[in-house]
Amino acid sequence: MAVPGAHGGTGQSDVRMPARPSIPVTLWGLVATVLAEHAVLRYGQPPSPGSLLVAARVVAAIGALAVIFALLRMRGRGRRKRSPRVPIAITLVFAAALSGALLGWLSLGRVAKAARLLSANPVSSWGLRVEGDMVGRGRGWRGRASVLGTDGSEIGAVWLSSPTRLEHGSLISCVGRFKANGDDDWGTSSRMQGIAGTVSVVHVTSSREVEGPLGAVLRARRAVLASFSPYESDGAAVLAGSVCGDRAPLRSRGLDRAFSTCGVSHLVAVSGGHLAILAGALSLLLGRTRLRPAVRGSLALGVVALFVVFCGAPASAVRAGIMSGVSFGGTVVGRRSHALSSACAAALAMALLDPCVSAQLGFLLSVASVVGICLFGGYAGHALDVLTRPARRCGRRGLPAARLLGRVRASSCDALGVSVVAQLFTLPLTCPAFGEVSLVAPLANLALAPLFAGLVSLGLGAAALTPLPALQAPILAAAKGVSQAFCALLCALARLPFACLAMEASGAALFAVLFAACAAVYAAWPVPRRHHLALASLALAGCAVVTLLCLRLLQPPRVCVLDVGQGDAILVTDGAAAVLVDTGPDGSVAQALARQGIIHLDAIVLTHLHDDHVGGVDDLVGRLGCERVLVARGVADHVSDGLSESTRRLTGHGVEEISYGDTIVAGSFALRVVSPVGDVAGDENADSVMLALSYERAGRKLTALLTGDAERDEAGACLARGDVGDIDVLKVGHHGSEVSVTADEAALLDPEVSVASAGEANRYGHPREECVGILEGAGSVFLCTKDVGTVTVRPGARGPVVSTERSAPEAPPAPWASGL
């Protein structure tokens, strides 16, 4: 439908307004089913026979009502009368929700039964079939496996932890230990996914390949992966992930971080895009034959199904494959294909066949992005087209170059609209799960899409020619070349400032806001006008700029001992200055800094090279800007290759050294190095950089000692040299170990507040009672991050002003929250 004036009224031709898409009842049925299954899997209990019988009767009654309504509707049509659709839709949605709840209860029962059987019998008495590719975790490998009984029947599923990588599809017997799911977040998540617990492999007693057609497909996959040599280069690793679905090489080379930062992880998660490329190639090949359309379609579906199995059958690929089958079936019976109906029908079938997919993030992300694209992808692309369409054209029809640029611009708007909509619809899932938002994702998807299509097309061709190495070689070389260019662009985008920001938000709140906004747009379906879009864009840009300037320039003077688990990370800010002392273990510091509103660091000081103090450096790459990474004198030569590479990606250059007596200035804060005195290697607690912190401005003062993992010997030496004396705040050394400080040292330091950083239920027992007793005996208030979360200390006129993220368990509100 052409809408006059939609372009904003500058004399240009009309812009075609996309029609508002219809919403099929299968979408509401899918939403109801997934929510019901998710709720039962998370909060439900294994069902009893009586509850199953009652639930089955209710579902049967609802189904009978749905059939009656359908028959009445058909009868009304026969009389040329239109029966109401709303009651039928409500009935069907209600039936879908009850069915989902019932299936969720059945799944819980199967998981509980499998856990009881595995707990009562040794692991060596069961068979295990490895499902999917195992992923490297520290010094071992982790994956998923099905537990098989003596008769070959499947009993349940477990996580499989092994010191060596076990091949996808292999059947193994092993000696090991089984641990059922606990009641923590990990145990709940595993139970929701149908996992009964974890089997830790001690020794594999036998291993063999699966037989039959599946075995043949998996052997072909291994041959293709071997020909790709995925561990030899970044391009080969991306090729293996994109064509074969094996992401272990990506993780081993550290590329998974770049994909996540750029928001393009879906490119190596085999899904609809891969199947579309494969289907296009098959259409070109089969279109030259004289086969009937139905036969060509059946052959194409068969090849697609083999490819899904070949890639390990991830949920996104299975959903896309079923969607293709539904669309083809509708075409065969003479019905027009409706993308949203096909997608919802495919996802609903998967959720009913296996309720545990409702708890799998990959499945939910795939469905959410497809639903969003089907509903609003065209509208978003049209709005961008209206916003970016030039006001005037050269000549009556335009010059050839102008027409080409116009087509490129229109295609870019469509692709950008799809990317933005997909990111918005998945935000309520990704933000709580990963704690970050990729700001560069729309640009990255637009820039990488052509290279991605090329590497997948060439990779599929190389995979098909694996049995013919001479013919495969040139195509594989071309595929690796395109893939290497893809990696170079990916890493360049990941290094952009603010490519990704850490953000914590409630998934329910984000979903409510998104649903309200989408409902308003869908109900109104307004015609996009350029001046309205321009004003909205300027307003959003202005809000973003003001927010970023406030976060960058207006930080309050404070010292925050961040809650990063069993590790150290201390933030010092004042105005536009921010310094981070240590980065904690991997995967926690970015979110902790996001909660403090930090988007830029002047410097990171790494007190020493233990993982619980430097592990978070890589986590910061692409999330915020940083100018320098500082280590003690002599440590630069001992920095690992991995940490060195992360530092270069974060700052653009390597680490810098600081020496005894050097001072780091952060606004009105001064951090003076008081230990070590000479050169150190950085691999011992005694090598830790100790900083004497001081602040004085406008009548407010603060002094503190930041110790890293240094203990009583190093603290005593600093006191003996006169480098430190009476202080307000002590960051307790080595997480509060029994040798952190002596009673004499505590008396000389006389801290009003002592803060230890330790993880909940850590295996070291930090902080130790001996340390707590010494500091409290010296009159200091003792706090630990595992009890109160992040501890923030601000300079005050009458002493430090201390606040905590939460109150200590089973304790009244802290009396020091208003100042000391």
Side-chain angles (χ1 to χ4, degrees), residues 506-786:
S506 166
L510 289 174
F511 177 79
V513 172
L514 178 66
F515 181 81
C518 291
V521 172
Y522 185 84
W525 208 248
V527 176
R529 300 187 183 279
R530 178 182 295 168
H531 61 283
H532 292 160
L533 294 172
L535 288 175
S537 300
L538 288 175
L540 289 174
C543 291
V545 169
V546 170
T547 301
L548 290 175
L549 287 176
C550 291
L551 294 176
R552 178 67 180 87
L553 302 176
L554 300 178
Q555 292 292 336
R558 57 183 171 167
V559 178
C560 301
V561 181
L562 302 175
D563 182 12
V564 292
Q566 186 65 19
D568 269 15
I570 299 97
L571 173 69
V572 180
T573 68
D574 184 23
V579 173
L580 182 67
V581 181
D582 286 328
T583 62
D586 183 27
S588 55
V589 70
Q591 285 72 33
L593 290 175
R595 288 193 292 269
Q596 304 300 325
I598 301 300
I599 61 174
H600 181 271
L601 292 171
D602 294 271
I604 296 175
V605 181
L606 302 178
T607 59
H608 61 301
L609 299 181
H610 288 176
D611 287 342
D612 57 336
H613 292 253
V614 304
V617 172
D618 188 59
D619 198 38
L620 299 176
V621 175
R623 285 186 165 101
L624 47 70
C626 181
E627 297 177 14
R628 299 190 297 165
V629 174
L630 307 174
V631 296
R633 195 178 71 191
V635 173
D637 293 334
H638 298 83
V639 173
S640 67
D641 292 340
L643 179 58
S644 180
E645 175 61 24
S646 297
T647 301
R648 281 194 294 270
R649 291 170 58 198
L650 182 63
T651 65
H653 51 82
V655 299
E656 302 176 36
E657 293 185 344
I658 50 177
S659 304
Y660 173 75
D662 289 347
T663 299
I664 303 166
V665 177
S668 296
F669 281 102
L671 295 92
R672 180 168 49 89
V673 180
V674 296
S675 182
V677 175
D679 290 6
V680 294
D683 54 0
E684 299 290 342
N685 290 338
D687 297 342
S688 293
V689 173
M690 297 178 65
L691 298 168
L693 176 146
S694 61
Y695 175 97
E696 184 173 359
R697 183 180 181 186
R700 294 181 297 168
K701 298 180 180 181
L702 181 68
T703 57
L705 180 62
L706 310 182
T707 59
D709 270 354
E711 297 174 337
R712 58 192 181 191
D713 292 343
E714 292 73 41
C718 287
L719 286 166
R721 290 191 298 267
D723 290 326
V724 66
D726 188 356
I727 59 175
D728 297 321
V729 180
L730 172 66
K731 206 298 294 183
V732 183
H734 198 194
H735 317 290
S737 71
E738 66 272 18
V739 293
S740 293
V741 65
T742 66
D744 291 340
E745 292 168 355
L748 291 173
L749 292 171
D750 193 23
E752 296 183 59
V753 182
S754 299
V755 185
S757 179
E760 186 176 357
N762 66 84
R763 60 193 177 99
Y764 308 102
H766 293 157
R768 301 299 293 268
E769 293 181 0
E770 300 92 328
C771 177
V772 177
I774 288 174
L775 290 167
E776 289 183 341
S780 179
V781 174
F782 188 91
L783 301 173
C784 185
T785 57
K786 75 181 183 67

Side-chain angles (χ1 to χ4, degrees), residues 303-374:
V303 174
V304 166
L306 284 175
F307 179 67
V308 171
V309 176
F310 176 84
C311 295
S316 55
V318 173
R319 190 268 311 154
I322 296 177
M323 180 177 169
S324 300
V326 172
S327 300
F328 175 68
T331 303
V332 170
V333 299
R335 295 196 61 179
R336 291 183 60 187
S337 175
H338 188 265
L340 185 56
S341 297
S342 300
C344 293
L348 183 58
M350 292 179 65
L352 293 175
L353 290 173
D354 181 10
C356 293
V357 300
S358 297
Q360 295 176 8
L361 184 60
F363 171 78
L364 297 176
L365 290 174
S366 175
V367 171
S369 60
V370 170
V371 169
I373 291 169
C374 290

Side-chain angles (χ1 to χ4, degrees), residues 90-278:
I90 293 175
T91 304
L92 290 173
V93 171
F94 191 37
L98 285 177
S99 300
L102 175 60
L103 292 169
W105 281 330
L106 290 172
S107 178
L108 285 177
R110 288 194 297 269
V111 172
K113 181 180 178 181
R116 288 194 300 270
L117 288 173
L118 282 169
S119 299
N121 297 277
V123 173
S124 57
S125 63
W126 307 100
L128 296 169
R129 182 176 64 237
V130 181
E131 306 288 353
D133 296 302
M134 300 189 78
V135 177
R137 299 282 185 180
R139 297 181 179 179
W141 296 82
R142 175 179 286 275
R144 179 169 174 156
S146 295
V147 181
L148 306 177
T150 54
D151 58 351
S153 61
E154 186 170 330
I155 296 173
V158 295
W159 295 120
L160 193 63
S161 178
S162 172
T164 58
R165 189 183 188 189
L166 302 172
E167 291 293 338
H168 172 29
S170 59
L171 300 171
I172 68 167
S173 297
C174 68
V175 176
R177 298 179 298 273
F178 172 75
K179 181 180 180 181
N181 295 324
D183 295 328
D184 55 0
D185 291 341
W186 172 257
T188 301
S189 174
S190 298
R191 181 187 66 199
M192 293 175 66
Q193 297 178 62
I195 304 293
T198 300
V199 171
S200 299
V201 177
V202 176
H203 174 65
V204 176
T205 56
S206 67
S207 177
R208 61 185 177 87
E209 296 181 354
V210 66
E211 300 176 353
L214 177 61
V217 173
L218 294 179
R219 285 191 293 273
R221 180 175 186 261
R222 285 195 290 272
V224 171
L225 283 171
S227 69
F228 284 179
S229 302
Y231 291 94
E232 72 175 9
S233 66
D234 289 350
V238 170
L239 200 62
S242 301
V243 176
C244 303
D246 187 358
R247 304 181 68 172
L250 290 172
R251 186 178 180 87
S252 70
R253 301 188 67 86
L255 289 172
D256 55 334
R257 177 69 259 167
F259 275 93
S260 177
T261 299
C262 293
V264 292
S265 297
H266 60 281
L267 295 182
V268 287
V270 179
S271 59
H274 299 72
L275 300 191
I277 295 173
L278 177 61

Side-chain angles (χ1 to χ4, degrees), residues 368-390:
S369 60
V370 170
V371 169
I373 291 169
C374 290
L375 288 176
F376 296 102
Y379 184 87
H382 172 69
L384 290 172
D385 181 77
V386 171
L387 180 63
T388 59
R389 183 178 289 270

